[in-house]
Amino acid sequence: SYSDEDNDSPDWIELYNAGDSVANLQDWSLTDDIKNPRKWVFPQVTIDPQTTLLLFASGKDRKEILYYQTLIKQGDEFAYAIGNAAIPENWKTVGFNDSGWEKGPSGFGFGDNDDATPVPEGTISVLVRKSFTLTNISEIKELLLHIDFDDGFVAYINGIEVARKNMGEANSPVLYDQMASAAVDPLVVYGNAPECFPVTDFSNILVPGTNLLSVEVHNCST
């Protein structure tokens, strides 16, 4: 199955252009009711030669064609540090110098078979940083943060909070030794999809060129 932008997994249809020229699908239609052959009509969309188009049979009637690109993948290398009082508040900004931090692939944790980079037992918080590059900001229609965590986290892009769970009220200060408010089991290691947090107002957060995702993850106990 494939997941759509809502993390649902509806039925899907794949169209393949086996020809040598671009196929224009505008005003063609799909239906599951022979009495209503134009139940869903295609917008202006084309398929290049030897190229596929995936359609979700979700009933959501979304006709804007979106091409999702993964900016940061599981297993990418991050700069990371164990949370402590000496880390400056600007650690989550692009300009912070993390050359003294450790480097390692995600995820981070106690090494219990779902962590690529182990941290010491008893760690309360881990801070991680990963930069990514964007060019045409105006072409971005949606930004989604899929994250698997145990037990709480706060995520920032370019120093601006974009998501949190089990770490108090949005935009409230978080101490390095603050415990998460609830125990949460990870999802991916059990074959489940990570939680999805849509990033709102991203046009005022992203910049052309280098951007930074930074995340602090907290345990609910030592």
Side-chain angles (χ1 to χ4, degrees):
S1 64
Y2 292 100
S3 297
D4 66 9
E5 61 268 35
D6 301 322
N7 219 24
D8 296 328
S9 54
D11 292 340
W12 53 271
I13 301 158
E14 185 178 68
L15 301 182
Y16 175 61
N17 179 6
D20 297 323
S21 59
V22 174
N24 187 346
L25 298 181
Q26 185 174 15
D27 291 331
W28 285 73
S29 60
L30 286 170
T31 189
D32 57 2
D33 181 359
I34 197 169
K35 296 179 180 179
N36 182 15
R38 294 181 63 77
K39 187 173 181 179
W40 193 83
V41 180
F42 279 90
Q44 172 60 50
V45 59
T46 59
I47 310 179
D48 290 334
Q50 286 78 54
T51 302
T52 59
L53 177 69
L54 185 70
L55 305 168
F56 286 113
S58 63
K60 297 177 183 178
D61 194 28
R62 296 173 180 170
K63 295 186 176 182
E64 184 175 29
I65 305 300
L66 298 177
Y67 298 92
Y68 287 93
Q69 178 181 355
T70 302
L71 297 171
I72 297 176
K73 300 184 291 294
Q74 181 182 4
D76 280 355
E77 184 179 81
F78 284 71
Y80 73 96
I82 307 303
N84 64 73
I87 296 177
E89 178 64 25
N90 70 337
W91 71 269
K92 58 183 81 81
T93 63
V94 174
F96 176 76
N97 182 3
D98 62 14
S99 59
W101 286 28
E102 300 289 335
K103 303 293 190 298
S106 61
F108 301 84
F110 290 149
D112 46 358
N113 299 321
D114 61 351
D115 304 303
T117 299
V119 299
E121 291 284 347
T123 294
I124 296 175
S125 66
V126 181
L127 316 180
V128 302
R129 292 166 45 92
K130 173 69 176 176
S131 62
F132 58 96
T133 302
L134 297 173
T135 51
N136 299 320
I137 302 295
S138 62
E139 295 182 359
I140 299 175
K141 303 298 183 184
E142 187 173 45
L143 187 65
L144 305 174
L145 173 66
H146 294 89
I147 183 168
D148 194 20
F149 59 94
D150 173 5
D151 298 288
F153 79 95
V154 187
Y156 313 86
I157 295 178
N158 296 334
I160 299 173
E161 182 179 322
V162 294
R164 79 164 60 192
K165 191 73 173 284
N166 298 332
M167 293 305 299
E169 298 295 326
N171 298 304
S172 63
V174 177
L175 300 176
Y176 75 94
D177 57 354
Q178 181 174 328
M179 301 291 189
S181 60
V184 174
D185 287 330
L187 296 169
V188 172
V189 70
Y190 298 114
N192 300 311
E195 283 201 50
C196 178
F197 296 84
V199 179
T200 59
D201 200 27
F202 58 84
S203 61
N204 294 322
I205 299 174
L206 301 175
V207 297
T210 301
N211 293 260
L212 180 78
L213 171 69
S214 51
V215 181
E216 54 180 300
V217 60
H218 292 247
N219 276 311
C220 67
S221 74
T222 55

